[in-house]
Amino acid sequence: MLRAVLFDLDDTLMDHTHAMHTGLDKWCEELGLPTGQQERFGALEKKWFAAYEKGEVTHRGQRIGRCREFLGNELSEEDALKLYAGYLAAYRRNWQVFPDAKGAIDRAQAAGLKVGILTNGAREMQAAKLRAGGLDLPGVLLIPTVELSCPKPQREAYMKGCAQLGVATSQTLMVGDSLPNDVEGAKAAGLQALYLRRDGSGDIASLDELF
Ligand SMILES: [Mg+2]
């Protein structure tokens, strides 16, 4: 018996990849750097965010690390964060909600399910992202794992997320685009999980398939 659903946010409800790709070119233009560096920046983002998820660096530390590795290791922490804020501003201007996101949340709530958003991103940015996408809806609980001190795919992230919704892990469905973070980790913690791959290679290709 399902009582709740936990959605991932980036590349599940909101199109993070589009915002990153477009925002990165704008930021590079502002800095006088060549555009088209998405592959390199994406690899650094993945590397440093994975280090954060493994507990090797802080959330702030991964921002500093990826900015330094992209722009120059001689940067001070303060300068790296200041420059990174320029990327975030450009990223933010390109946020887009997936057209199937709000309908899926609405149907979950109409079916009597509690709804949470379990994300490894920081609250300030993720809350703003939800507002930008029209997803800051009554009854939808934003759960940034940064505040739980245990990012996905650590088992405690899902358990604490379910506890915040007041439901058992076995009665909760996790939906997201990351196999380790939204599917394997969730199942290991006792949740049900569905792998969203918009190219059709996962459990579902669209949030329209839910509920
Ligand atoms: Mg994601």
Side-chain angles (χ1 to χ4, degrees), residues 8 10 12 177 182:
D8 167 57
D10 288 317
T12 296
D177 70 295
D182 303 320

Side-chain angles (χ1 to χ4, degrees), residues 1-203:
M1 175 72 180
L2 205 58
R3 291 191 55 210
V5 58
L6 282 171
F7 290 100
D8 167 57
L9 180 51
D10 288 317
D11 285 333
T12 296
L13 299 174
M14 297 288 292
D15 194 345
H16 162 79
T17 299
H18 163 81
M20 186 267 267
H21 280 211
T22 314
L24 181 66
D25 275 348
K26 296 289 174 209
W27 184 47
C28 285
E29 278 171 16
E30 285 166 20
L31 296 176
L33 296 171
T35 56
Q37 301 196 63
Q38 284 79 6
E39 203 171 321
R40 180 169 161 252
F41 187 82
L44 292 176
E45 177 182 70
K46 210 168 177 180
K47 170 187 159 178
W48 281 95
F49 215 74
Y52 161 65
E53 288 166 349
K54 282 187 256 170
E56 294 166 3
V57 292
T58 62
H59 192 269
R60 180 178 180 272
Q62 60 84 24
R63 287 183 171 181
I64 293 167
R66 67 166 120 160
C67 188
R68 273 181 173 163
E69 203 168 333
F70 188 68
L71 293 180
N73 282 318
E74 71 287 353
L75 287 171
S76 70
E77 291 195 354
E78 289 67 29
D79 285 347
L81 285 171
K82 206 182 284 177
L83 284 163
Y84 191 76
Y87 163 69
L88 285 180
Y91 168 65
R92 197 175 281 238
R93 286 194 296 273
N94 288 282
W95 284 340
Q96 280 181 4
V97 66
F98 283 113
D100 54 9
K102 181 164 184 303
I105 293 173
D106 288 345
R107 288 194 307 282
Q109 289 186 318
L113 302 178
K114 293 187 176 179
V115 176
I117 297 172
L118 188 67
T119 172
N120 283 354
R123 177 179 293 275
E124 187 195 2
M125 183 165 68
Q126 301 302 64
K129 208 177 274 178
L130 291 179
R131 284 194 297 276
L135 300 179
D136 55 332
L137 303 164
V140 175
L141 189 64
L142 176 63
I143 309 169
T145 58
V146 178
E147 297 169 5
L148 309 175
S149 304
C150 47
K152 300 180 285 184
Q154 294 176 26
R155 184 183 169 82
E156 293 73 24
Y158 314 94
M159 298 179 70
K160 288 181 181 175
C162 290
Q164 287 203 9
L165 288 177
V167 293
T169 52
S170 62
Q171 295 175 318
T172 305
L173 172 70
M174 176 88 217
V175 180
D177 70 295
S178 164
L179 193 59
N181 285 0
D182 303 320
V183 181
E184 293 170 348
K187 285 183 177 172
L191 286 75
Q192 302 168 51
L194 284 175
Y195 185 28
L196 171 69
R197 293 284 296 174
R198 293 181 183 276
D199 65 3
S201 63
D203 299 320

